[in-house]
Amino acid sequence: MVNEVIFNRYLLVEFTLEIISIMEKLLLLGAEAIAQGAIDSGISGIYAYPGTPSTEITEYVQKSTFANERMIHSRWSVNEKTAMEAALGMSYAGKRAMVCMKHVGLNVAADPFINSAITGINGGLIIAVADDPSMHSSQNEQDSRYYGNFALIPILEPSNQQEAYDMTRAGFLLSERYKIPVLIRITTRLAHSRYGVQRKEVLEENKLRLPEDPKQFILLPAIARIRYRSLLDKQTGFSEDSELSGFNRYIDGNDKTIGIIACGISFNYLLENYPNHICEHPIVKIGQYPLPKKIINKLYTTCGELLVLEEGYPFVEESLRGFFDHGKKIHGRLDGTLPRDGELNPTLVAQALGLQIKKGLPVPGIVVNRPPELCNGCSHRDIYEALNEAMISFGEKRVFSDIGCYTLGALPPFNSINSCVDMGASVTMAKGAADAGLVPSVAVIGDSTFTHSGITGLLDAVNEKSNITVIISDNSAIAMTGGQDSSATGKLEQICLGVGVEPEHVRILLPLPKNHDEMVRVLKEELAYSGVSVIISQRECIQTLPKKKKNIKA
Ligand SMILES: Cc1ncc(C[n+]2csc(CCOP(=O)(O)OP(=O)(O)O)c2C)c(N)n1
Ligand code: SF4
């Protein structure tokens, strides 16, 4: 990537010439640049639920000595909705807050997210969302820019790590100027690649200061209508800001047969195809939305055709084509010039422009795909082995599951589960299937996923005395995203009893090979029970256990 090449050069110069200034430059992931930008912009709290590729934003703040000295709040929330609401609460109290999540997390937080645009904010509020085109570790590749557009708020989309840092500062200024939440959207490559980032001066935190209007956050219809009107009135200001923003630029070029609109990181992919980073075509670089119409119009009127480069969905391309798709030819993901799905990269951009493609070395035969699998000694293995045996007598079995390391139970050698849709869906899908008459109707869910979104579904099942068996495979960690602390640890049994599961049908297992027969026996008993039963299979993730032991010693 351009970034790495530039960075190597940059490091050499910096190390030899300017040792002092390197103190002020940091080598940061895109996700970390947002975190550092937020710390330096005077946030008082970051709220988040982990999810690749957004997790490192919060982890960076958690590890920052300065953030800890300032006592910036950075503990994980139970899910994205609670995170969004807590950040809004901190903003209500006048302080700057940031909330972070992966793209599908924004579905979970959508209710407070959309409504926060209507309440507006008090202290600056940024929602940092990391999208995952190509679905490296996600169920879909939805594009969060639609959410920002839907909420009618400004969106910032960095093209590199420095912009990720700078946009966080600019986002808080924008947020406090218009009293509006601001969305920062990044994608996997930017979140997970490093570059040198120049810091700015550190701002003081805001003082505690309640909203001037005590009714601002009361979305009763009569007030909500007024607030919605005021949100609509702000739109002209947002557009003017976009026209003047340094993140949106017209870069002229001699060859006007085609003009290029490059959004976010795709600007980087484009320039990587030119050795001196000078493209012969005019470019409009987009980093701030709503789209700067005047700048785009200049490109449209001066160039023969347009090519739109954007990571994710054809968000800009669609809006330029309009319903009737009249006018100049616009190329992009919709007409097949670029693939409709998956990540962009410099080669795809080169192909779209008819440039010569630089081929890398062929992959040696020794490098083969290695399918992911549960670690040896993982507690999920033991529960699946027992479940498979317990289910034999039921003939063709179907088991609803969820998202976490245990989803690997869908693959050989286990082939134990048959669904993975969204967090919490195992319990509710099992309930629906039980309502339809499926016996047994089984859900497998992890401890963190259970507290994220499983509890409410369990209450539905308890209220209707549904015939379901829920297995909570509790490894006391959010293992899939790197072993963060789980909000469920030590609380699951009490939660299930509190929700109303009958005490004799809350069973605790210790998943070890030596306990296999005992586990099969308990599972069979509960599968035969007609009502709600919960089996908590409890043994810590073998990857997080040593780290925790080490931390206790230290
Ligand atoms: C709405 C949403 N938020 C976050 C994620 C990312 N994510 C996938 S699985 C998971 C948690 C898994 O933890 P747990 O249920 O305890 O299972 P484990 O991985 O520990 O086995 C998270 C946070 C996601 N896929 N969807
Ligand atoms: S990281 Fe932990 S939970 Fe995930 S597969 Fe490995 S042992 Fe199992």
Side-chain angles (χ1 to χ4, degrees), residues 329-360:
K329 272 204 176 138
I330 294 171
H331 305 285
R333 288 186 183 269
L334 288 175
D335 75 339
T337 305
L338 291 160
R340 175 63 184 79
D341 58 343
E343 275 181 304
L344 292 184
N345 58 43
T347 307
L348 288 170
V349 172
Q351 273 168 342
L353 283 164
L355 300 173
Q356 218 181 357
I357 296 161
K358 291 175 221 138
K359 284 211 172 116

PDB file of all heavy atoms in Angstrom, residues 329-360:
ATOM      1  N   LYS A 329     -22.597   9.262 -18.949  1.00  0.00           N
ATOM      2  CA  LYS A 329     -22.347   7.891 -18.475  1.00  0.00           C
ATOM      3  C   LYS A 329     -21.639   7.949 -17.122  1.00  0.00           C
ATOM      4  O   LYS A 329     -20.660   8.682 -16.957  1.00  0.00           O
ATOM      5  CB  LYS A 329     -21.442   7.172 -19.467  1.00  0.00           C
ATOM      6  CG  LYS A 329     -22.200   6.504 -20.569  1.00  0.00           C
ATOM      7  CD  LYS A 329     -21.393   5.360 -21.158  1.00  0.00           C
ATOM      8  CE  LYS A 329     -22.260   4.667 -22.194  1.00  0.00           C
ATOM      9  NZ  LYS A 329     -21.532   4.311 -23.392  1.00  0.00           N
ATOM     10  N   ILE A 330     -22.165   7.182 -16.202  1.00  0.00           N
ATOM     11  CA  ILE A 330     -21.519   7.089 -14.890  1.00  0.00           C
ATOM     12  C   ILE A 330     -21.143   5.634 -14.650  1.00  0.00           C
ATOM     13  O   ILE A 330     -22.003   4.747 -14.677  1.00  0.00           O
ATOM     14  CB  ILE A 330     -22.457   7.623 -13.787  1.00  0.00           C
ATOM     15  CG1 ILE A 330     -22.659   9.128 -14.016  1.00  0.00           C
ATOM     16  CG2 ILE A 330     -21.859   7.380 -12.395  1.00  0.00           C
ATOM     17  CD1 ILE A 330     -23.686   9.778 -13.182  1.00  0.00           C
ATOM     18  N   HIS A 331     -19.865   5.398 -14.472  1.00  0.00           N
ATOM     19  CA  HIS A 331     -19.373   4.031 -14.275  1.00  0.00           C
ATOM     20  C   HIS A 331     -19.095   3.772 -12.799  1.00  0.00           C
ATOM     21  O   HIS A 331     -18.784   4.688 -12.054  1.00  0.00           O
ATOM     22  CB  HIS A 331     -18.079   3.814 -15.067  1.00  0.00           C
ATOM     23  CG  HIS A 331     -18.210   4.116 -16.521  1.00  0.00           C
ATOM     24  ND1 HIS A 331     -18.850   3.283 -17.396  1.00  0.00           N
ATOM     25  CD2 HIS A 331     -17.798   5.185 -17.249  1.00  0.00           C
ATOM     26  CE1 HIS A 331     -18.815   3.817 -18.622  1.00  0.00           C
ATOM     27  NE2 HIS A 331     -18.190   4.972 -18.556  1.00  0.00           N
ATOM     28  N   GLY A 332     -19.193   2.527 -12.454  1.00  0.00           N
ATOM     29  CA  GLY A 332     -18.907   2.166 -11.057  1.00  0.00           C
ATOM     30  C   GLY A 332     -19.345   0.746 -10.803  1.00  0.00           C
ATOM     31  O   GLY A 332     -19.217  -0.139 -11.652  1.00  0.00           O
ATOM     32  N   ARG A 333     -19.920   0.537  -9.644  1.00  0.00           N
ATOM     33  CA  ARG A 333     -20.316  -0.818  -9.252  1.00  0.00           C
ATOM     34  C   ARG A 333     -21.626  -1.240  -9.914  1.00  0.00           C
ATOM     35  O   ARG A 333     -21.911  -2.431 -10.010  1.00  0.00           O
ATOM     36  CB  ARG A 333     -20.472  -0.886  -7.732  1.00  0.00           C
ATOM     37  CG  ARG A 333     -19.155  -0.837  -6.956  1.00  0.00           C
ATOM     38  CD  ARG A 333     -19.428  -1.049  -5.495  1.00  0.00           C
ATOM     39  NE  ARG A 333     -18.260  -0.967  -4.644  1.00  0.00           N
ATOM     40  CZ  ARG A 333     -17.489  -2.010  -4.303  1.00  0.00           C
ATOM     41  NH1 ARG A 333     -17.748  -3.206  -4.793  1.00  0.00           N
ATOM     42  NH2 ARG A 333     -16.476  -1.857  -3.477  1.00  0.00           N
ATOM     43  N   LEU A 334     -22.416  -0.266 -10.347  1.00  0.00           N
ATOM     44  CA  LEU A 334     -23.733  -0.624 -10.892  1.00  0.00           C
ATOM     45  C   LEU A 334     -23.669  -1.079 -12.340  1.00  0.00           C
ATOM     46  O   LEU A 334     -24.494  -1.881 -12.782  1.00  0.00           O
ATOM     47  CB  LEU A 334     -24.702   0.555 -10.759  1.00  0.00           C
ATOM     48  CG  LEU A 334     -25.180   0.860  -9.330  1.00  0.00           C
ATOM     49  CD1 LEU A 334     -26.025   2.120  -9.302  1.00  0.00           C
ATOM     50  CD2 LEU A 334     -25.972  -0.316  -8.766  1.00  0.00           C
ATOM     51  N   ASP A 335     -22.730  -0.552 -13.125  1.00  0.00           N
ATOM     52  CA  ASP A 335     -22.679  -0.952 -14.545  1.00  0.00           C
ATOM     53  C   ASP A 335     -21.644  -2.045 -14.790  1.00  0.00           C
ATOM     54  O   ASP A 335     -21.353  -2.393 -15.937  1.00  0.00           O
ATOM     55  CB  ASP A 335     -22.409   0.266 -15.438  1.00  0.00           C
ATOM     56  CG  ASP A 335     -20.955   0.712 -15.373  1.00  0.00           C
ATOM     57  OD1 ASP A 335     -20.275   0.377 -14.383  1.00  0.00           O
ATOM     58  OD2 ASP A 335     -20.492   1.386 -16.311  1.00  0.00           O
ATOM     59  N   GLY A 336     -21.063  -2.575 -13.717  1.00  0.00           N
ATOM     60  CA  GLY A 336     -20.126  -3.697 -13.870  1.00  0.00           C
ATOM     61  C   GLY A 336     -18.693  -3.271 -14.111  1.00  0.00           C
ATOM     62  O   GLY A 336     -17.811  -4.116 -14.249  1.00  0.00           O
ATOM     63  N   THR A 337     -18.417  -1.948 -14.165  1.00  0.00           N
ATOM     64  CA  THR A 337     -17.022  -1.511 -14.318  1.00  0.00           C
ATOM     65  C   THR A 337     -16.211  -1.974 -13.107  1.00  0.00           C
ATOM     66  O   THR A 337     -15.038  -2.320 -13.211  1.00  0.00           O
ATOM     67  CB  THR A 337     -16.950   0.033 -14.439  1.00  0.00           C
ATOM     68  OG1 THR A 337     -17.789   0.424 -15.516  1.00  0.00           O
ATOM     69  CG2 THR A 337     -15.547   0.518 -14.670  1.00  0.00           C
ATOM     70  N   LEU A 338     -16.879  -1.967 -11.953  1.00  0.00           N
ATOM     71  CA  LEU A 338     -16.278  -2.512 -10.729  1.00  0.00           C
ATOM     72  C   LEU A 338     -17.217  -3.581 -10.200  1.00  0.00           C
ATOM     73  O   LEU A 338     -18.426  -3.524 -10.460  1.00  0.00           O
ATOM     74  CB  LEU A 338     -16.124  -1.404  -9.693  1.00  0.00           C
ATOM     75  CG  LEU A 338     -15.079  -0.332 -10.013  1.00  0.00           C
ATOM     76  CD1 LEU A 338     -15.345   0.935  -9.224  1.00  0.00           C
ATOM     77  CD2 LEU A 338     -13.666  -0.856  -9.735  1.00  0.00           C
ATOM     78  N   PRO A 339     -16.691  -4.536  -9.429  1.00  0.00           N
ATOM     79  CA  PRO A 339     -17.594  -5.587  -8.905  1.00  0.00           C
ATOM     80  C   PRO A 339     -18.657  -4.982  -7.986  1.00  0.00           C
ATOM     81  O   PRO A 339     -18.386  -4.012  -7.288  1.00  0.00           O
ATOM     82  CB  PRO A 339     -16.678  -6.508  -8.117  1.00  0.00           C
ATOM     83  CG  PRO A 339     -15.294  -6.071  -8.389  1.00  0.00           C
ATOM     84  CD  PRO A 339     -15.316  -4.718  -9.001  1.00  0.00           C
ATOM     85  N   ARG A 340     -19.845  -5.537  -8.008  1.00  0.00           N
ATOM     86  CA  ARG A 340     -20.942  -5.014  -7.184  1.00  0.00           C
ATOM     87  C   ARG A 340     -20.708  -5.303  -5.697  1.00  0.00           C
ATOM     88  O   ARG A 340     -21.180  -4.567  -4.839  1.00  0.00           O
ATOM     89  CB  ARG A 340     -22.266  -5.649  -7.659  1.00  0.00           C
ATOM     90  CG  ARG A 340     -23.492  -5.305  -6.843  1.00  0.00           C
ATOM     91  CD  ARG A 340     -23.813  -3.818  -6.870  1.00  0.00           C
ATOM     92  NE  ARG A 340     -24.944  -3.495  -6.004  1.00  0.00           N
ATOM     93  CZ  ARG A 340     -24.864  -3.374  -4.677  1.00  0.00           C
ATOM     94  NH1 ARG A 340     -23.698  -3.551  -4.065  1.00  0.00           N
ATOM     95  NH2 ARG A 340     -25.934  -3.083  -3.969  1.00  0.00           N
ATOM     96  N   ASP A 341     -19.977  -6.394  -5.407  1.00  0.00           N
ATOM     97  CA  ASP A 341     -19.750  -6.724  -3.993  1.00  0.00           C
ATOM     98  C   ASP A 341     -18.254  -6.820  -3.711  1.00  0.00           C
ATOM     99  O   ASP A 341     -17.429  -6.795  -4.622  1.00  0.00           O
ATOM    100  CB  ASP A 341     -20.439  -8.055  -3.634  1.00  0.00           C
ATOM    101  CG  ASP A 341     -19.953  -9.197  -4.502  1.00  0.00           C
ATOM    102  OD1 ASP A 341     -19.348  -8.931  -5.555  1.00  0.00           O
ATOM    103  OD2 ASP A 341     -20.166 -10.370  -4.140  1.00  0.00           O
ATOM    104  N   GLY A 342     -17.934  -6.887  -2.433  1.00  0.00           N
ATOM    105  CA  GLY A 342     -16.537  -7.073  -2.027  1.00  0.00           C
ATOM    106  C   GLY A 342     -15.755  -5.774  -1.985  1.00  0.00           C
ATOM    107  O   GLY A 342     -16.196  -4.734  -2.462  1.00  0.00           O
ATOM    108  N   GLU A 343     -14.558  -5.871  -1.388  1.00  0.00           N
ATOM    109  CA  GLU A 343     -13.684  -4.710  -1.257  1.00  0.00           C
ATOM    110  C   GLU A 343     -13.118  -4.272  -2.582  1.00  0.00           C
ATOM    111  O   GLU A 343     -12.900  -5.104  -3.466  1.00  0.00           O
ATOM    112  CB  GLU A 343     -12.466  -5.108  -0.420  1.00  0.00           C
ATOM    113  CG  GLU A 343     -12.613  -5.035   1.042  1.00  0.00           C
ATOM    114  CD  GLU A 343     -11.292  -5.433   1.695  1.00  0.00           C
ATOM    115  OE1 GLU A 343     -10.791  -6.538   1.424  1.00  0.00           O
ATOM    116  OE2 GLU A 343     -10.774  -4.636   2.486  1.00  0.00           O
ATOM    117  N   LEU A 344     -12.813  -2.995  -2.688  1.00  0.00           N
ATOM    118  CA  LEU A 344     -12.025  -2.524  -3.829  1.00  0.00           C
ATOM    119  C   LEU A 344     -10.551  -2.734  -3.487  1.00  0.00           C
ATOM    120  O   LEU A 344     -10.192  -2.998  -2.343  1.00  0.00           O
ATOM    121  CB  LEU A 344     -12.277  -1.043  -4.059  1.00  0.00           C
ATOM    122  CG  LEU A 344     -13.664  -0.639  -4.548  1.00  0.00           C
ATOM    123  CD1 LEU A 344     -13.716   0.860  -4.809  1.00  0.00           C
ATOM    124  CD2 LEU A 344     -14.058  -1.405  -5.811  1.00  0.00           C
ATOM    125  N   ASN A 345      -9.700  -2.579  -4.478  1.00  0.00           N
ATOM    126  CA  ASN A 345      -8.256  -2.570  -4.240  1.00  0.00           C
ATOM    127  C   ASN A 345      -7.613  -1.865  -5.431  1.00  0.00           C
ATOM    128  O   ASN A 345      -8.296  -1.577  -6.430  1.00  0.00           O
ATOM    129  CB  ASN A 345      -7.704  -3.998  -4.041  1.00  0.00           C
ATOM    130  CG  ASN A 345      -7.992  -4.884  -5.238  1.00  0.00           C
ATOM    131  OD1 ASN A 345      -7.833  -4.458  -6.376  1.00  0.00           O
ATOM    132  ND2 ASN A 345      -8.427  -6.111  -4.988  1.00  0.00           N
ATOM    133  N   PRO A 346      -6.317  -1.558  -5.364  1.00  0.00           N
ATOM    134  CA  PRO A 346      -5.684  -0.807  -6.455  1.00  0.00           C
ATOM    135  C   PRO A 346      -5.813  -1.512  -7.803  1.00  0.00           C
ATOM    136  O   PRO A 346      -5.966  -0.869  -8.846  1.00  0.00           O
ATOM    137  CB  PRO A 346      -4.227  -0.713  -6.018  1.00  0.00           C
ATOM    138  CG  PRO A 346      -4.276  -0.814  -4.529  1.00  0.00           C
ATOM    139  CD  PRO A 346      -5.410  -1.739  -4.223  1.00  0.00           C
ATOM    140  N   THR A 347      -5.770  -2.851  -7.806  1.00  0.00           N
ATOM    141  CA  THR A 347      -5.843  -3.577  -9.081  1.00  0.00           C
ATOM    142  C   THR A 347      -7.222  -3.415  -9.721  1.00  0.00           C
ATOM    143  O   THR A 347      -7.325  -3.182 -10.931  1.00  0.00           O
ATOM    144  CB  THR A 347      -5.538  -5.075  -8.852  1.00  0.00           C
ATOM    145  OG1 THR A 347      -4.308  -5.158  -8.156  1.00  0.00           O
ATOM    146  CG2 THR A 347      -5.457  -5.842 -10.143  1.00  0.00           C
ATOM    147  N   LEU A 348      -8.273  -3.515  -8.923  1.00  0.00           N
ATOM    148  CA  LEU A 348      -9.621  -3.351  -9.486  1.00  0.00           C
ATOM    149  C   LEU A 348      -9.799  -1.938 -10.038  1.00  0.00           C
ATOM    150  O   LEU A 348     -10.422  -1.733 -11.089  1.00  0.00           O
ATOM    151  CB  LEU A 348     -10.678  -3.628  -8.410  1.00  0.00           C
ATOM    152  CG  LEU A 348     -10.841  -5.090  -8.002  1.00  0.00           C
ATOM    153  CD1 LEU A 348     -11.734  -5.216  -6.769  1.00  0.00           C
ATOM    154  CD2 LEU A 348     -11.424  -5.908  -9.157  1.00  0.00           C
ATOM    155  N   VAL A 349      -9.216  -0.961  -9.336  1.00  0.00           N
ATOM    156  CA  VAL A 349      -9.319   0.423  -9.806  1.00  0.00           C
ATOM    157  C   VAL A 349      -8.542   0.571 -11.117  1.00  0.00           C
ATOM    158  O   VAL A 349      -9.019   1.206 -12.072  1.00  0.00           O
ATOM    159  CB  VAL A 349      -8.796   1.400  -8.727  1.00  0.00           C
ATOM    160  CG1 VAL A 349      -8.720   2.817  -9.258  1.00  0.00           C
ATOM    161  CG2 VAL A 349      -9.694   1.356  -7.487  1.00  0.00           C
ATOM    162  N   ALA A 350      -7.357  -0.037 -11.188  1.00  0.00           N
ATOM    163  CA  ALA A 350      -6.550   0.026 -12.416  1.00  0.00           C
ATOM    164  C   ALA A 350      -7.323  -0.584 -13.585  1.00  0.00           C
ATOM    165  O   ALA A 350      -7.367  -0.023 -14.689  1.00  0.00           O
ATOM    166  CB  ALA A 350      -5.232  -0.709 -12.209  1.00  0.00           C
ATOM    167  N   GLN A 351      -7.967  -1.715 -13.326  1.00  0.00           N
ATOM    168  CA  GLN A 351      -8.758  -2.369 -14.387  1.00  0.00           C
ATOM    169  C   GLN A 351      -9.873  -1.445 -14.867  1.00  0.00           C
ATOM    170  O   GLN A 351     -10.122  -1.320 -16.059  1.00  0.00           O
ATOM    171  CB  GLN A 351      -9.370  -3.659 -13.861  1.00  0.00           C
ATOM    172  CG  GLN A 351      -8.435  -4.846 -14.010  1.00  0.00           C
ATOM    173  CD  GLN A 351      -8.923  -6.062 -13.219  1.00  0.00           C
ATOM    174  OE1 GLN A 351      -9.747  -5.934 -12.316  1.00  0.00           O
ATOM    175  NE2 GLN A 351      -8.382  -7.207 -13.540  1.00  0.00           N
ATOM    176  N   ALA A 352     -10.520  -0.782 -13.928  1.00  0.00           N
ATOM    177  CA  ALA A 352     -11.634   0.098 -14.277  1.00  0.00           C
ATOM    178  C   ALA A 352     -11.161   1.259 -15.150  1.00  0.00           C
ATOM    179  O   ALA A 352     -11.901   1.767 -15.984  1.00  0.00           O
ATOM    180  CB  ALA A 352     -12.298   0.633 -13.016  1.00  0.00           C
ATOM    181  N   LEU A 353      -9.895   1.656 -14.969  1.00  0.00           N
ATOM    182  CA  LEU A 353      -9.361   2.792 -15.734  1.00  0.00           C
ATOM    183  C   LEU A 353      -8.595   2.326 -16.974  1.00  0.00           C
ATOM    184  O   LEU A 353      -8.028   3.137 -17.701  1.00  0.00           O
ATOM    185  CB  LEU A 353      -8.428   3.614 -14.844  1.00  0.00           C
ATOM    186  CG  LEU A 353      -9.140   4.522 -13.827  1.00  0.00           C
ATOM    187  CD1 LEU A 353      -8.176   4.989 -12.753  1.00  0.00           C
ATOM    188  CD2 LEU A 353      -9.769   5.713 -14.539  1.00  0.00           C
ATOM    189  N   GLY A 354      -8.544   1.013 -17.193  1.00  0.00           N
ATOM    190  CA  GLY A 354      -7.836   0.471 -18.360  1.00  0.00           C
ATOM    191  C   GLY A 354      -6.330   0.597 -18.222  1.00  0.00           C
ATOM    192  O   GLY A 354      -5.605   0.628 -19.221  1.00  0.00           O
ATOM    193  N   LEU A 355      -5.821   0.698 -16.993  1.00  0.00           N
ATOM    194  CA  LEU A 355      -4.376   0.808 -16.780  1.00  0.00           C
ATOM    195  C   LEU A 355      -3.749  -0.582 -16.764  1.00  0.00           C
ATOM    196  O   LEU A 355      -4.434  -1.580 -16.529  1.00  0.00           O
ATOM    197  CB  LEU A 355      -4.079   1.491 -15.440  1.00  0.00           C
ATOM    198  CG  LEU A 355      -4.604   2.907 -15.258  1.00  0.00           C
ATOM    199  CD1 LEU A 355      -4.382   3.376 -13.821  1.00  0.00           C
ATOM    200  CD2 LEU A 355      -3.933   3.870 -16.236  1.00  0.00           C
ATOM    201  N   GLN A 356      -2.427  -0.595 -17.000  1.00  0.00           N
ATOM    202  CA  GLN A 356      -1.730  -1.878 -16.969  1.00  0.00           C
ATOM    203  C   GLN A 356      -1.695  -2.388 -15.521  1.00  0.00           C
ATOM    204  O   GLN A 356      -1.445  -1.601 -14.595  1.00  0.00           O
ATOM    205  CB  GLN A 356      -0.312  -1.689 -17.479  1.00  0.00           C
ATOM    206  CG  GLN A 356       0.109  -2.854 -18.314  1.00  0.00           C
ATOM    207  CD  GLN A 356       1.523  -2.682 -18.811  1.00  0.00           C
ATOM    208  OE1 GLN A 356       2.175  -1.660 -18.583  1.00  0.00           O
ATOM    209  NE2 GLN A 356       2.016  -3.695 -19.473  1.00  0.00           N
ATOM    210  N   ILE A 357      -1.930  -3.671 -15.372  1.00  0.00           N
ATOM    211  CA  ILE A 357      -1.992  -4.205 -14.011  1.00  0.00           C
ATOM    212  C   ILE A 357      -0.657  -4.808 -13.619  1.00  0.00           C
ATOM    213  O   ILE A 357      -0.062  -5.577 -14.380  1.00  0.00           O
ATOM    214  CB  ILE A 357      -3.099  -5.274 -13.919  1.00  0.00           C
ATOM    215  CG1 ILE A 357      -4.436  -4.602 -14.176  1.00  0.00           C
ATOM    216  CG2 ILE A 357      -3.102  -5.954 -12.567  1.00  0.00           C
ATOM    217  CD1 ILE A 357      -5.505  -5.563 -14.555  1.00  0.00           C
ATOM    218  N   LYS A 358      -0.217  -4.406 -12.418  1.00  0.00           N
ATOM    219  CA  LYS A 358       1.043  -4.998 -11.918  1.00  0.00           C
ATOM    220  C   LYS A 358       0.699  -6.297 -11.210  1.00  0.00           C
ATOM    221  O   LYS A 358      -0.074  -6.294 -10.249  1.00  0.00           O
ATOM    222  CB  LYS A 358       1.708  -4.049 -10.915  1.00  0.00           C
ATOM    223  CG  LYS A 358       2.244  -2.794 -11.553  1.00  0.00           C
ATOM    224  CD  LYS A 358       2.762  -1.862 -10.456  1.00  0.00           C
ATOM    225  CE  LYS A 358       2.350  -0.430 -10.809  1.00  0.00           C
ATOM    226  NZ  LYS A 358       1.880   0.344  -9.696  1.00  0.00           N
ATOM    227  N   LYS A 359       1.261  -7.391 -11.735  1.00  0.00           N
ATOM    228  CA  LYS A 359       0.953  -8.683 -11.108  1.00  0.00           C
ATOM    229  C   LYS A 359       1.981  -9.008 -10.032  1.00  0.00           C
ATOM    230  O   LYS A 359       3.168  -8.802 -10.229  1.00  0.00           O
ATOM    231  CB  LYS A 359       0.960  -9.784 -12.165  1.00  0.00           C
ATOM    232  CG  LYS A 359      -0.278  -9.781 -13.031  1.00  0.00           C
ATOM    233  CD  LYS A 359      -0.619 -11.211 -13.477  1.00  0.00           C
ATOM    234  CE  LYS A 359      -1.954 -11.220 -14.183  1.00  0.00           C
ATOM    235  NZ  LYS A 359      -1.885 -11.590 -15.566  1.00  0.00           N
ATOM    236  N   GLY A 360       1.515  -9.515  -8.900  1.00  0.00           N
ATOM    237  CA  GLY A 360       2.427  -9.946  -7.837  1.00  0.00           C
ATOM    238  C   GLY A 360       2.985 -11.324  -8.158  1.00  0.00           C
ATOM    239  O   GLY A 360       2.612 -11.928  -9.172  1.00  0.00           O
TER     240      GLY A 360
END
